[in-house]
Amino acid sequence: MSFVQYSDLIQDGDVIIVYLGHNSVMPVKVQHGAQTQTRYGVIRHSTQLIGQSYGSKVTCSKGGWVQVLHPTPELWTVALPHRTQILYTTDISIIAMMLELKPGSIVCESGTGSGSLSHAILRTIAPSGHLHTVEFHEQRALKVAEEFKEHRVDHLVTVRNQDVCKDGFGVTGVADAVFLDIPSPWEAVKHAKVALKKHGGHLCSFSPCIEQVQRTCEVLADQAFEEISTVEVLLRIHDVRTVSLPLPDFGPDPSSQTEPGPEEEAPPTPSVNHASITMKTTTPPREMPGHTGYLTFATKPRT
Ligand SMILES: C[S@@+](CC[C@H](N)C(=O)[O-])C[C@H]1O[C@@H](n2cnc3c(N)ncnc32)[C@H](O)[C@@H]1O
């Protein structure tokens, strides 16, 4: 599923993801009369993009082709222009699960940063939920608000340009979940408690350093949060495939051979063996993406 209101055909104004090859994607805003330069040549928007089905192949002017894809939150995370460090799909998945996000959820988030997590939240809570996201860097707040509009998810989100540690989230007692990705999350815990709904409600805080986690956990406990736990999620990608290998040529089996009789000639020894064997192989990862951060989860007390 893509950004919430995109159809199956590319329309003027859509932001699409152009897939150039493994680990190489670029976001493109489709506009009548515009053209986009890729390493395979030019793509003309009016004739080659508008009206085409998402997922189709488009041949560029130098003859190479690219694939034009729906802007899913997963692809947006890979393609988005970075203004900050961002959260990636591995952490995002467990955040969405542990915060129990679902269509209709009300979520508070700070800081918004480059909007990587925000887009995943928006897809999950659509069509009736709402995201209140707080970012104190004015240019970042403006840029992400512009992107939400371009991606036609702005009706699901309110961007507030303020300091969450001083001014909070701008809502009281309504949030099902609060997410923090700021350098001093412990300073925002009391505001998270105010924003969360009265009964239950989950909090998650992402921090790269364990000292930040320790301070946050201390304040969470002081504020009577329950079920406080910290996890680190590491991704291991296994390469599972079936390969065909040529059989080694050991020559004729000596045990099955008898000495040729006086009138017999020795059989010719095959020099080339065309037989092959099919094998299933699994290669564990040689390299792993390393530490991103710790995720601390807690639940607001029900009393
Ligand atoms: C690491 S980025 C967040 C990245 C985001 N989670 C994403 O996936 O794109 C942290 C952001 O928090 C903002 N920030 C830091 N302290 C803040 C505060 N007290 N109030 C509001 N925003 C804050 C920073 O300006 C920065 O944009």
Side-chain angles (χ1 to χ4, degrees):
M1 187 182 161
S2 63
F3 295 150
V4 183
Q5 301 207 328
Y6 275 47
S7 73
D8 291 343
L9 300 182
I10 298 175
Q11 297 171 18
D12 188 20
D14 281 5
V15 173
I16 64 167
I17 304 293
V18 173
Y19 180 85
L20 298 149
H22 184 60
N23 272 344
S24 179
V25 292
M26 63 192 275
V28 170
K29 178 154 188 198
V30 177
Q31 284 170 309
H32 257 303
Q35 54 184 44
T36 296
Q37 185 70 51
T38 74
R39 61 174 181 252
Y40 303 120
V42 167
I43 305 171
R44 293 191 168 73
H45 294 202
S46 302
T47 51
Q48 292 182 285
L49 294 180
I50 295 171
Q52 295 298 312
S53 295
Y54 275 103
S56 55
K57 288 178 182 174
V58 170
T59 305
C60 308
S61 61
K62 287 188 199 161
W65 56 266
V66 297
Q67 224 161 352
V68 287
L69 301 177
H70 261 138
T72 62
E74 291 79 6
L75 285 172
W76 183 245
T77 287
V78 183
L80 63 78
H82 281 222
R83 279 87 69 179
T84 60
Q85 286 284 339
I86 64 163
L87 287 176
Y88 291 92
T89 311
T90 309
D91 286 317
I92 291 174
S93 324
I94 196 156
I95 292 165
M97 189 82 174
M98 296 292 283
L99 292 182
E100 296 186 52
L101 303 188
K102 56 183 182 296
S105 295
I106 308 292
V107 184
C108 291
E109 174 202 34
S110 186
T112 323
S114 305
S116 171
L117 175 69
S118 319
H119 281 88
I121 293 175
L122 290 171
R123 179 181 60 183
T124 310
I125 65 174
S128 52
H130 202 85
L131 173 66
H132 298 270
T133 187
V134 175
E135 170 58 58
F136 73 180
H137 187 289
E138 190 182 5
Q139 292 311 312
R140 287 180 201 150
L142 288 171
K143 182 67 190 161
V144 83
E146 186 187 312
E147 288 172 348
F148 291 143
K149 201 159 189 198
E150 281 182 350
H151 303 159
R152 302 193 200 113
V153 289
D154 51 319
H155 59 293
L156 294 168
V157 52
T158 304
V159 182
R160 291 188 175 85
N161 177 213
Q162 61 195 35
D163 183 341
V164 74
C165 299
K166 283 198 200 128
D167 308 316
F169 292 94
V171 290
T172 303
V174 295
D176 297 293
V178 170
F179 179 79
L180 298 171
D181 182 2
I182 55 171
S184 54
W186 56 90
E187 293 185 83
V189 167
K190 59 180 182 297
H191 297 295
K193 201 170 174 185
V194 169
L196 283 166
K197 62 187 181 185
K198 279 199 183 114
H199 306 296
H202 300 298
L203 176 146
C204 176
S205 173
F206 174 93
S207 294
C209 305
I210 200 69
E211 291 78 8
Q212 293 169 298
V213 174
Q214 287 164 342
R215 288 188 74 169
T216 308
C217 286
E218 212 174 301
V219 174
L220 284 168
D222 286 349
Q223 295 276 329
F225 274 81
E226 295 169 351
E227 300 168 341
I228 303 168
S229 67
T230 299
V231 300
E232 180 185 11
V233 191
L234 298 173
L235 183 69
R236 277 165 58 86
I237 299 170
H238 291 259
D239 185 12
V240 180
R241 54 176 137 167
T242 303
V243 290
S244 272
L245 297 172
L247 274 177
D249 184 3
F250 298 115
D253 178 359
S255 64
S256 67
Q257 288 177 23
T258 50
E259 286 294 312
E263 278 93 53
E264 291 175 67
E265 277 187 25
T269 306
S271 54
V272 182
N273 188 342
H274 293 293
S276 66
I277 184 169
T278 301
M279 287 172 60
K280 293 182 171 58
T281 71
T282 307
T283 316
R286 275 191 223 130
E287 288 173 16
M288 261 173 66
H291 172 77
T292 55
Y294 303 99
L295 292 168
T296 296
F297 295 95
T299 304
K300 183 174 169 176
R302 287 186 178 270
T303 50

